[in-house]
């Protein structure tokens, strides 16, 4: 029985880049967490330790900072495409690259002061395979909640079932959404906030009989409105809120007082895609949680 080296990649993980655009009185602050991954003719370094084809991960880190100074940053997608193309075109052993970027949001307080809101992050993963490129963008840790308009009933019951049915509950989740674009030549700065808005609008407007139904409605709404998107993948944990039992204190509880559960939690995940969507190739390979 033979032993061979399988799929592999290497790179620099979580390069922290903060870029300040001072070209206007109102400064633009861009805060990114960038990971670079290279794929190609690297068998020798794994099998024998020969590093002749290995572009050092420190060099990859330095390229991130140098490119931010030389070209600015722009959208995470544009910056990732610029980096990935550079690695593939400038290093002969590199046959493919994957650049992953999380953007941390900052809100303006004035022209040059900022405050960071909640834990939500914008994400992108750009994959190069030769001269082909795939762009997967999205968001993570977008916490949403609705106080009504959510039900859960009609599920099977057996000897281990204790969950009561409900026609009015709090529905809360932390949305991780990633969508694959059909092209790498798009106005990413315009389309991202528009897709985010559709996700939020659909969550709010959908009368939910199950979190699964809400997930599908959100993905479908994005595909219906944005022809540039080939597929949407969502991961939505059910952040349970349990009605507090106030009867020991002689009090009723008409859906007003809840206990916010931490764990365990239901985890709902799904993919919504066009039947005619172009092939995903390696776009999802090594994408955390969505491979």
């Amino acid at each position: 029985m033979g032993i061979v080296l399988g799929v592999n990649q290497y790179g620099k993980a979580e390069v922290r880049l903060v870029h300040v655009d001072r070209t206007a009185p109102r400064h633009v602050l861009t805060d990114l967490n960038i990971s670079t991954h290279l794929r190609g003719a690297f068998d020798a370094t794994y099998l024998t330790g020969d590093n002749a084809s290995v572009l050092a991960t420190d060099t990859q880190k330095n390229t991130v900072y140098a490119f931010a100074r030389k070209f600015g940053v722009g959208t995470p997608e544009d910056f990732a495409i610029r980096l990935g193309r550079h690695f593939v075109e400038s290093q002969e052993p590199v046959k493919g690259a994957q650049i992953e970027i999380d953007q941390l949001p900052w809100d303006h307080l004035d022209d040059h002061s900022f405050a960071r809101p909640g834990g939500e992050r914008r994400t992108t993963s750009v994959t190069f395979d030769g001269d082909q490129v795939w762009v997967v963008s999205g968001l993570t840790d977008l916490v949403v909640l609705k106080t009504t308009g959510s039900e859960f009933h009609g599920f099977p019951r057996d000897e281990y079932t204790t969950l009561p049915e409900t026609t009015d509950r709090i529905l809360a989740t932390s949305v991780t959404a990633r969508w694959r674009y059909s092209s790498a030549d798009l106005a990413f700065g315009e389309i991202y906030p528009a897709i985010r808005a559709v996700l939020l609008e659909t969550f709010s407007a959908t009368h939910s009989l199950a979190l699964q139904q809400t997930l599908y409605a959100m993905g479908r709404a994005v595909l219906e409105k944005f022809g540039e998107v080939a597929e949407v993948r969502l991961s939505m944990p059910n952040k349970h809120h349990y009605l507090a039992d106030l009867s020991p204190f002689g009090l009723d509880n008409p859906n007003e007082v809840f206990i916010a559960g931490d764990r365990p939690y239901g985890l709902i995940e799904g993919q919504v895609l066009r039947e005619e969507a172009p092939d995903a190739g390696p776009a999802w390979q090594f994408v955390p949680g969505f491979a």
Side-chain angles (χ1 to χ4, degrees):
M1 179 177 64
I3 298 174
V4 298
L5 177 67
V7 176
N8 61 83
Q9 63 179 21
Y10 82 98
K12 201 70 165 180
E14 300 194 44
V15 179
R16 295 289 289 113
L17 167 66
V18 175
H19 180 266
V20 182
D21 184 343
R22 305 174 184 274
T23 55
R26 186 174 178 85
H27 294 171
V28 177
L29 179 68
T30 305
D31 190 345
L32 303 178
N33 196 24
I34 302 166
S35 294
T36 61
H37 313 277
L38 305 184
R39 306 167 186 169
F42 305 129
D43 287 12
T45 189
Y46 286 94
L47 301 177
T48 69
D50 180 353
N51 296 318
S53 298
V54 175
L55 183 69
T57 63
D58 189 67
T59 303
Q60 296 176 45
K61 176 205 70 177
N62 293 342
T63 303
V64 168
Y65 295 122
F67 269 41
R69 178 66 186 97
K70 291 172 67 176
F71 307 112
V73 175
T75 70
E77 291 86 356
D78 290 330
F79 194 58
I81 291 170
R82 190 177 301 122
L83 283 170
R85 180 168 288 125
H86 165 77
F87 290 130
V88 170
E89 293 182 352
S90 67
Q91 299 292 320
E92 194 280 331
V94 177
K95 307 304 181 184
Q98 184 177 43
I99 312 297
E100 294 183 359
I101 299 180
D102 287 0
Q103 180 171 7
L104 285 70
W106 289 92
D107 293 337
H108 274 95
L109 300 178
D110 57 28
D111 284 348
H112 48 79
S113 299
F114 303 82
R116 180 180 289 175
E120 178 190 351
R121 302 187 307 280
R122 176 177 175 175
T123 66
T124 195
S125 177
V126 173
T127 301
F128 279 81
D129 186 10
D131 59 359
Q132 289 186 284
V133 59
W134 292 266
V135 180
V136 174
S137 293
L139 53 84
T140 187
D141 295 332
L142 172 59
V143 178
V144 292
L145 180 151
K146 58 195 304 179
T147 55
T148 191
S150 174
E151 309 179 29
F152 189 59
H153 51 77
F155 50 88
R157 307 194 72 87
D158 64 14
E159 65 268 34
Y160 304 114
T161 302
T162 59
L163 183 70
E165 297 192 348
T166 179
T167 58
D168 190 7
R169 66 171 181 171
I170 285 180
L171 180 65
T173 185
S174 177
V175 179
T176 294
R178 296 225 183 200
W179 49 87
R180 175 168 60 92
Y181 291 113
S182 299
S183 169
D185 185 19
L186 297 170
F188 297 111
E190 299 175 7
I191 194 172
Y192 172 82
I195 291 176
R196 182 183 183 277
V198 167
L199 290 170
L200 291 175
E201 290 165 6
T202 308
F203 174 83
S204 175
T206 301
H207 186 96
S208 179
L209 301 179
L211 185 53
Q212 290 90 333
Q213 175 198 15
T214 300
L215 180 151
Y216 177 73
M218 292 167 69
R220 178 175 182 141
V222 170
L223 293 180
E224 287 178 340
K225 186 156 186 177
F226 300 95
E228 308 94 326
V229 177
E231 64 172 303
V232 182
R233 300 188 185 189
L234 296 118
S235 178
M236 297 168 61
N238 200 330
K239 301 178 79 68
H240 299 295
H241 288 69
Y242 304 103
L243 197 65
D245 180 9
L246 303 181
S247 59
F249 320 118
L251 298 171
D252 65 356
N253 190 1
N255 267 10
E256 291 185 2
V257 181
F258 296 86
I259 300 169
D262 179 15
R263 53 183 65 106
Y265 52 85
L267 180 58
I268 314 303
E269 298 177 303
Q271 174 191 29
V272 187
L273 72 163
R274 302 183 191 279
E275 290 183 340
E276 71 280 10
D279 183 66
W284 296 100
Q285 194 174 40
F286 297 114
V287 175
F290 289 95

